[in-house]
Amino acid sequence: QVQLVESGGGLVQAGGSLRLSCAASGAISSFNAMGWYRRAPGKQRELVARITSGGNTDYADSVQGRFTISRDNAKNTVSLQMNSLKAEDTAVYYCHALVQNPFGRDYNYWGQGTQVTVSS
């Protein structure tokens, strides 16, 4: 069982920055991928950014060039640096981990979420 704990959300003005962190209970170096998703009011959850065990990254088009995902295997943390924030970035942000067992079965783990509010 993997536990994920997010931190770093809050209220910021448009154009500002926030840094989210996700602390995992396991060794993230063994995770297939970790990422950040968000759910805005009235919308479905969407992928924001993802980083694989090999270090490859993917970003939603809406955050490309503004957000950066990174990980620290020694600290078992994944971070999301968010710059040039916009009102439309307002959402609950969730940390996600994808773990595959030796038999090829995938397990998805989620954090409790952290609120990011961007005022315009």
Side-chain angles (χ1 to χ4, degrees):
Q1 186 76 10
V2 174
Q3 292 184 330
L4 304 172
V5 179
E6 303 103 333
S7 61
L11 174 64
V12 64
Q13 288 187 334
S17 299
L18 279 175
R19 185 177 181 87
L20 305 182
S21 292
C22 174
S25 60
I28 66 170
S29 58
S30 65
F31 297 176
N32 293 77
M34 293 194 73
W36 291 92
Y37 287 72
R38 68 186 180 187
R39 177 175 285 159
K43 295 186 178 181
Q44 291 187 332
R45 184 173 60 193
E46 63 174 352
L47 173 68
V48 176
R50 176 175 53 202
I51 184 166
T52 68
S53 58
N56 295 319
T57 57
D58 290 311
Y59 295 93
D61 289 342
S62 59
V63 307
Q64 183 76 43
R66 299 188 297 122
F67 291 11
T68 303
I69 189 170
S70 62
R71 70 181 190 194
D72 185 332
N73 289 346
K75 296 181 178 180
N76 291 322
T77 59
V78 173
S79 298
L80 184 69
Q81 178 66 42
M82 305 185 294
N83 298 328
S84 302
L85 283 161
K86 305 176 181 179
E88 50 264 43
D89 294 319
T90 295
V92 178
Y93 284 70
Y94 298 91
C95 181
H96 170 258
L98 174 64
V99 181
Q100 190 175 80
N101 71 8
F103 304 102
R105 181 173 178 178
D106 289 340
Y107 292 86
N108 291 281
Y109 299 96
W110 296 92
Q112 81 285 355
T114 185
Q115 177 70 45
V116 172
T117 302
V118 184
S119 62
S120 57

